[in-house]
Amino acid sequence: MNTRRVLRTSNVLLLLTGYQMHWFDSQLQRYRISAPGILNVFVLACIYAGCFNEHFQPSALLKTLLDVSPFLYGLTRLQLLLSIKVFAYAIYASVRAVGVAGEITESLPMTIISARRGCLKRELIAYLLLFSTFVVLLCFGLYIGYEMQFKLPPLQHIMIGVALFLPHLVLAGALRFYCIFAWLTRERLRQLESEVEQLLSESKIKTELQLVANSSSVAVTVAASNEDNLLKPLQQLAAHFGNFFDHLQRSLLLLLGVNANCLLFGFYTYVYFSNTWHVLFDDHMRRVFYAGNISIYACIGCDYACLLLAQSLLEQQRFQFLDRLNSALAQRNTLPKRIRRILKDMRYTLSNCFNLKFLSIWRFNVANFAVIQLIQLLVVALIVTCHYLNDAILQTNERFDSNDEDD
């Protein structure tokens, strides 16, 4: 896998989406501030400011939204309030995280491995983690454009939507930034595991040669092994990746909150549209609504799937590495004391230094993340159900009141 190409691709993507202002210098293997990146963020900020202002101008779309559902209008205002904080914090957090990311990139090998099928597959997975959500969004966009005969809606409506979507896009860069570095860390652990395998093979050969030499009284010279070059890179990788997660954890938590509001918006509109509002639209606009509504769940689900895939593969590689170290340490008589001590230190590092926790409380793994999402969905379903039942009761009371007046 070409690590340099993966890092450069992710850097260009995050620059274009406004999450980063730094350019990845492949020679220094670090990120440095760049004038085009600053200019790009400034232009996006100006666009966002103009779109944000449209929410406070007279608008038929917003007035209709308020008349149809004050609760839905309130969710839009809440999303707008979150968005301005998200946009500012995402840029601030990326500046802090990129410095720690530079410490990881300095320790990663940038050499191009021969293009075997396995290496190409691992590089394609890295691109999948980066671009899958954009591909899903593009597919929905093309379908919606087809249903609307590729006619753009009014400019004001576009700007109102951009004010809600752009900060979300910027903040989601933190998720992609984490995913790509989790994947590269996994590949580095895989490489270190192969080096440990080589070390154990060399140690076995040494032991056999020494036994032969002792039995035949012949002096045998064996080259010194490179066990000292294994422990320190692993410790540095664990420390740097832990710091990287610490700098990104609040961005990821903020993204969870923004996504929760989007899911509530999507579920609420879907329930009411399917039951009552659909009569106000023709068949084309109904399909447009359903496609747009489904795209909310699809894009959020795709982001979370990439996050969990990167994290689960990292955990899988870590446990595989630990199992290999444990099996090697179980063979007490075949390893010199020096190598055993180094392997024990590596096992300790893998066991204790890759335990990622949000705010030092919530352990970040697939099971805990799935539980949090389930709780979010239950809360969203409960809120939508309560509002729907409340509206149904109000309609029933109004119907009874009108019947009483007729009598």
Side-chain angles (χ1 to χ4, degrees):
M1 185 177 71
N2 190 337
T3 305
R4 179 179 286 106
R5 184 164 55 206
V6 170
L7 285 170
R8 180 62 61 80
T9 303
S10 66
N11 182 225
V12 171
L13 175 66
L14 296 177
L15 276 170
L16 293 177
T17 57
Y19 179 71
Q20 282 184 355
M21 294 185 294
H22 294 70
W23 177 251
F24 179 70
D25 191 328
S26 57
Q27 299 300 322
L28 299 176
Q29 295 185 204
R30 289 191 66 89
Y31 293 89
R32 57 180 176 82
I33 198 74
S34 63
I38 296 175
L39 179 62
N40 179 58
V41 171
F42 177 75
V43 171
L44 288 177
C46 292
I47 294 174
Y48 174 64
C51 296
F52 183 87
N53 184 60
E54 287 300 318
H55 278 264
F56 301 93
Q57 302 297 325
S59 170
L61 177 63
L62 294 176
K63 186 178 184 305
T64 302
L65 186 63
L66 177 61
D67 294 338
V68 170
S69 173
F71 177 73
L72 203 59
Y73 181 81
L75 287 181
T76 304
R77 288 297 185 184
L78 177 60
Q79 184 75 7
L80 188 68
L81 179 63
L82 289 174
S83 295
I84 191 171
K85 296 180 179 179
V86 161
F87 190 83
Y89 182 78
I91 297 173
Y92 163 75
S94 70
V95 173
R96 298 179 66 234
V98 80
V100 184
E103 297 176 349
I104 301 179
T105 57
E106 285 184 330
S107 63
L108 293 175
M110 296 290 168
T111 54
I112 301 177
I113 303 175
S114 59
R116 299 190 301 270
R117 180 178 298 178
C119 299
L120 180 60
K121 178 182 177 181
R122 291 193 292 273
E123 188 167 343
L124 289 177
I125 292 176
Y127 296 141
L128 174 68
L129 297 175
L130 286 173
F131 294 106
S132 56
T133 304
F134 292 102
V135 173
V136 171
L137 185 61
L138 177 63
C139 292
F140 278 101
L142 290 176
Y143 175 77
I144 292 173
Y146 170 77
E147 289 291 344
M148 298 181 66
Q149 300 179 350
F150 295 99
K151 294 180 180 179
L152 292 176
L155 179 60
Q156 188 182 35
H157 295 179
I158 296 176
M159 296 178 71
I160 289 174
V162 169
L164 300 173
F165 175 74
L166 181 59
H168 196 162
L169 176 66
V170 175
L171 183 63
L175 183 144
R176 273 172 273 280
F177 200 40
Y178 176 81
C179 286
I180 201 64
F181 271 91
W183 176 249
L184 294 177
T185 300
R186 184 254 187 193
E187 290 298 299
R188 181 58 175 155
L189 286 178
R190 183 175 175 275
Q191 185 182 41
L192 289 173
E193 183 184 4
S194 65
E195 292 177 3
V196 168
E197 291 283 355
Q198 183 179 359
L199 172 64
L200 295 175
S201 300
E202 292 176 356
S203 177
K204 183 178 180 181
I205 294 174
K206 278 185 182 182
T207 303
E208 293 175 351
L209 290 177
Q210 287 174 356
L211 291 174
V212 172
N214 293 334
S215 62
S216 60
S217 300
V218 176
V220 177
T221 303
V222 181
S225 62
N226 60 346
E227 59 263 23
D228 292 333
N229 297 327
L230 294 177
L231 177 59
K232 187 176 180 180
L234 179 61
Q235 291 175 336
Q236 290 178 343
L237 181 66
H240 295 333
F241 188 74
N243 291 335
F244 178 69
F245 175 79
D246 289 340
H247 283 77
L248 280 180
Q249 61 175 329
R250 288 174 176 81
S251 296
L252 296 176
L253 288 174
L254 187 57
L255 183 63
L256 287 176
V258 174
N259 284 341
N261 191 67
C262 291
L263 290 174
L264 179 56
F265 185 95
F267 287 154
Y268 186 88
T269 54
Y270 178 81
V271 169
Y272 278 82
F273 188 91
S274 300
N275 287 277
T276 55
W277 299 344
H278 65 276
V279 298
L280 304 175
F281 299 88
D282 58 20
D283 290 339
H284 281 290
M285 294 309 296
R286 290 175 190 171
R287 290 194 290 269
V288 168
F289 170 82
Y290 285 123
N293 191 268
I294 294 173
S295 68
I296 297 175
Y297 321 129
C299 292
I300 293 176
C302 191
D303 273 349
Y304 287 164
C306 290
L307 179 64
L308 294 181
L309 175 63
Q311 185 65 22
S312 61
L313 290 176
L314 174 61
E315 290 293 317
Q316 180 185 20
Q317 182 61 45
R318 185 171 72 93
F319 289 136
Q320 179 180 322
F321 200 169
L322 277 172
D323 290 340
R324 184 65 189 95
L325 293 177
N326 288 328
S327 62
L329 289 170
Q331 304 172 5
R332 297 179 177 274
N333 299 325
T334 60
L335 293 177
K337 291 183 179 180
R338 177 179 176 80
I339 295 181
R340 284 182 57 83
R341 186 176 68 253
I342 291 175
L343 294 183
K344 287 181 178 180
D345 291 340
M346 295 180 74
R347 182 176 63 179
Y348 175 83
T349 301
L350 285 171
S351 300
N352 298 280
C353 299
F354 280 90
N355 293 324
L356 307 177
K357 292 184 178 181
F358 284 111
L359 306 177
S360 301
I361 300 174
W362 164 34
R363 174 77 181 275
F364 177 43
N365 54 31
V366 175
N368 290 343
F369 193 88
V371 170
I372 293 296
Q373 290 308 307
L374 179 60
I375 293 174
Q376 275 193 349
L377 292 176
L378 289 176
V379 172
V380 167
L382 181 62
I383 293 174
V384 173
T385 302
C386 289
H387 273 276
Y388 185 77
L389 292 177
N390 184 60
D391 289 344
I393 292 172
L394 291 176
Q395 290 178 1
T396 303
N397 291 335
E398 290 177 358
R399 192 176 299 113
F400 285 146
D401 292 340
S402 62
N403 291 335
D404 292 340
E405 292 177 358
D406 292 340
D407 294 338

